[in-house]
Structure formats: structure tokens, C-alpha cells
């Protein structure tokens, strides 16, 4: 895999494609229609995600005399995309933050929601337990994903970022 392990995810359209393809396998053309993007643009990004091992081809179908591949995202595929490069991790974090802002603009204001932001100190055992719960929540959300506009479903946004921080060296700001 090329050096830019996390850079492949550091594009807002790629994050949207991964989210969309978690619920159902789609061709690049089908994904483009759903996302309101051009087929050429989505095809390019789908190829990059596939090359990075984040999408798998689930089937090939005949469409208008040609063949189209349908891709699906497996959420656990990103586990091998680890990096110790702070610049790559910052790019990914920024892309996720930008995507959260985009989605927040579409929030149904009259519906229940949960938003938490915290930088705090907790017991290591509590941290371990909560990290496992957040991971389980992420898996459950991805497993429950349905194709877009499935009757009886609601469109939701979920962003989970939990990580341990380094302790301040000088006892200064938290």
C-alpha cells in the first residue's frame, strides 16, 4: 500500500462514499446519482478507495450492454490503515470534522440528538470500558445500515472519535 495510508480517507467525498456503501452495494454511477456528483468524479474516488482495500466488489451487473461493478464498504477494513504520521492523522481528522459540519447543516432540528465534546481525565479501567462500548456502538450502527431511502428508516449522522491524549509536559493547559 502506498505511503498515504490515511490520506485516501482525507477527502470529504470519499467519506460520503464509504458511508453510502456501508448500507448497500452500488455501482459508481448509482452512487453518483445518490450523492449528486458526476459519475467520473465518483468513479475516480471509488477506485482510490478500492485500491486502498476499503471497498470490495460484491457483484458485476449488466447495464445497457456494459458491465458495472457494485462496491460495498466493510467498516472493519480500515483497521489496517494505521499510521504514526501526525500529518496523515491530521488530514483525516480535518476531513471528518468538515463532514460533520456538512451534516450538521442538514440536522433535523425538531428531532432528538446527542452531542458530546470533552477533554477530561478518567480512570484507565473506565477509559478501556468506554472505548469498547464506543467500538461496539460503531459496529452496531454499521451492521444496521440500510440502503438509502429504505421505507421505515431514518437518515442519521454518526461520528465517533475517542482517543487518549498525551499528558501536558509542564502541568499547564488541559
Amino acid at each position: 500500500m502506498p505511503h498515504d495510508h490515511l490520506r485516501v480517507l482525507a477527502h470529504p467525498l470519499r467519506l460520503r462514499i464509504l458511508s453510502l456503501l456501508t448500507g448497500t452495494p452500488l455501482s459508481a454511477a448509482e452512487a453518483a446519482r445518490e450523492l449528486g456528483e458526476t459519475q467520473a468524479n465518483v468513479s475516480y474516488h471509488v477506485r482510490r478507495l478500492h485500491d486502498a482495500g476499503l471497498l470490495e466488489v460484491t457483484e458485476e451487473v449488466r447495464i445497457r450492454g456494459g458491465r458495472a461493478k457494485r462496491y460495498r464498504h466493510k467498516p472493519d477494513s480500515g483497521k489496517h490503515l494505521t499510521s504514526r504520521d501526525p500529518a496523515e492523522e491530521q488530514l483525516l481528522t480535518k476531513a471528518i470534522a468538515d463532514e460533520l459540519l456538512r451534516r450538521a447543516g442538514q440536522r433535523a432540528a425538531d428531532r432528538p440528538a446527542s452531542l458530546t465534546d470533552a477533554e477530561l481525565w478518567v480512570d484507565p479501567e473506565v477509559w478501556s470500558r468506554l472505548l469498547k462500548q464506543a467500538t461496539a456502538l460503531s459496529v452496531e450502527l454499521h451492521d444496521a445500515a440500510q440502503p438509502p431511502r429504505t421505507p421505515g428508516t431514518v437518515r442519521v449522522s454518526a461520528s465517533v472519535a475517542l482517543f487518549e491524549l498525551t499528558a501536558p509536559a509542564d502541568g499547564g493547559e488541559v
Side-chain angles (χ1 to χ4, degrees):
M1 180 169 295
H3 173 66
D4 60 345
H5 292 66
L6 297 178
R7 286 179 195 262
V8 74
L9 294 175
H11 189 285
L13 183 55
R14 292 184 193 146
L15 293 174
R16 292 178 64 203
I17 290 168
L18 287 178
S19 291
L20 177 65
L21 297 180
T22 296
T24 190
L26 296 173
S27 69
E30 292 165 330
R33 281 191 296 277
E34 183 63 35
L35 296 169
E37 298 285 339
T38 67
Q39 181 177 344
N41 192 24
V42 171
S43 291
Y44 169 77
H45 291 294
V46 164
R47 280 192 308 275
R48 292 286 315 268
L49 291 165
H50 181 260
D51 291 347
L54 295 168
L55 295 178
E56 65 179 355
V57 176
T58 60
E59 63 181 327
E60 287 194 37
V61 293
R62 280 209 171 281
I63 298 178
R64 289 180 280 228
R67 299 199 57 79
K69 294 178 182 176
R70 285 205 171 120
Y71 298 87
R72 183 168 179 113
H73 170 52
K74 297 202 95 176
D76 62 350
S77 64
K79 289 179 182 173
H80 68 278
L81 292 181
T82 58
S83 173
R84 295 290 178 214
D85 181 347
E88 284 186 14
E89 291 181 357
Q90 287 294 320
L91 281 174
L92 176 57
T93 301
K94 183 179 181 326
I96 292 170
D98 290 347
E99 178 61 7
L100 180 58
L101 286 172
R102 185 194 68 80
R103 291 180 196 164
Q106 299 175 19
R107 181 174 178 254
D110 60 336
R111 304 298 303 154
S114 174
L115 179 62
T116 300
D117 179 61
E119 181 177 333
L120 37 81
W121 297 77
V122 296
D123 180 272
E125 289 179 17
V126 170
W127 169 246
S128 179
R129 180 176 48 82
L130 294 174
L131 192 57
K132 287 177 186 171
Q133 288 176 354
T135 301
L137 173 63
S138 179
V139 169
E140 185 174 348
L141 279 166
H142 281 89
D143 287 349
Q146 299 292 311
R149 300 176 224 308
T150 298
T153 62
V154 293
R155 184 174 171 227
V156 300
S157 174
S159 299
V160 179
L162 299 174
F163 45 88
E164 194 169 330
L165 297 169
T166 58
D170 62 359
E173 264 186 59
V174 175

